[in-house]
Amino acid sequence: MKKAVIVAFDKFTDVDIFLPWDLLNRVKFRDKEFQVKIVGTEISHKSVCGLDLTTHGLIEECNDADFVFFGSGPGTRNVIKDNSYLERFKLNPQTQIIGSMCSGALIIAALGHLKGLSATTYPTAFEALRNYDVEVIEDTHLVTHGNIGTAAGCLAAVDLIGWAVEKMYDTKVKEDIIASVLPIGQGQVCIYP
């Protein structure tokens, strides 16, 4: 059984959690045993727009997940300064797929997994990411190195999740998931029963 976890925290960007949640749950139409969970440090976290989100578990679930996804938002600037928060992650990019949306790249960098690599993030986080010895790619929406992927611009989550799904499954599953959210006339497919 494969498992994907989406990491939430206070002041997360709504679309950066809910779009990946939706896309990853579409995998269940191909693999009924696939698990998707939203995890955090609390029972619930409040988004930057004020929405309360109930979590499914604690961030320690990231440590045995096949795919770990870090969303973005102003809250990233708080968690990257919290050593007790960061120490709860025991991620292994050799065996796990790790991805981030926009300023979520700061969390991956604070965990030490982007040192010496290139990555992308939202423009307001370019300088902060450079402070982690990361080459910031400002003109592309998806940068990958092995099992680590960073994306910039909320709708880039479609490509980032597609990349992760292809790594976990195959190109056909990825293409079906992506096609299921395309606008009518752009190659969409129906994967729902």
Side-chain angles (χ1 to χ4, degrees):
M1 170 177 31
K2 290 182 176 36
K3 178 170 82 170
V5 292
I6 298 169
V7 180
F9 40 81
D10 288 330
K11 294 187 180 176
F12 67 85
T13 299
D14 299 61
V15 70
D16 289 352
I17 297 296
F18 296 117
L19 180 54
W21 167 258
D22 181 275
L23 291 168
L24 288 167
N25 271 283
R26 290 169 189 251
V27 174
K28 289 184 181 182
F29 292 102
R30 297 287 187 250
D31 178 356
K32 302 289 185 210
E33 294 188 10
F34 183 65
Q35 287 186 333
V36 184
K37 293 185 172 186
I38 297 173
V39 300
T41 57
E42 305 293 335
I43 293 171
S44 70
H45 287 286
K46 190 176 290 288
S47 77
V48 74
C49 293
L51 188 64
D52 284 316
L53 174 65
T54 302
T55 59
H56 306 117
L58 295 173
I59 57 177
E60 282 78 9
E61 288 201 45
C62 294
N63 299 330
D64 68 356
D66 297 282
F67 176 45
V68 178
F69 175 87
F70 293 99
S72 73
T76 58
R77 276 49 167 216
N78 296 326
V79 299
I80 63 172
K81 296 174 188 169
D82 183 347
N83 286 333
S84 64
Y85 175 85
L86 297 173
E87 288 170 357
R88 295 170 71 176
F89 292 97
K90 309 290 185 232
L91 304 183
N92 183 348
Q94 298 300 314
T95 59
Q96 295 176 285
I97 302 163
I98 304 167
S100 66
M101 195 69 248
C102 295
S103 65
L106 295 173
I107 302 172
I108 299 175
L111 293 170
H113 297 301
L114 291 178
K115 188 174 179 79
L117 297 178
S118 60
T120 192
T121 187
Y122 200 69
T124 57
F126 284 166
E127 288 310 310
L129 190 56
R130 283 188 183 102
N131 290 334
Y132 286 98
D133 190 26
V134 176
E135 177 191 354
V136 175
I137 307 299
E138 297 182 10
D139 61 352
T140 191
H141 72 285
L142 180 63
V143 176
T144 63
H145 293 281
N147 284 339
I148 298 176
T150 57
C154 297
L155 296 183
V158 175
D159 289 339
L160 177 66
I161 298 303
W163 165 81
V165 167
E166 184 171 27
K167 288 186 84 61
M168 285 187 286
Y169 291 93
D170 57 40
T171 302
K172 174 70 172 136
V173 175
K174 168 199 165 183
E175 289 174 348
D176 287 351
I177 298 308
I178 301 305
S180 73
V181 296
L182 291 175
I184 297 296
Q186 292 186 13
Q188 73 288 340
V189 297
C190 181
I191 63 171
Y192 293 105

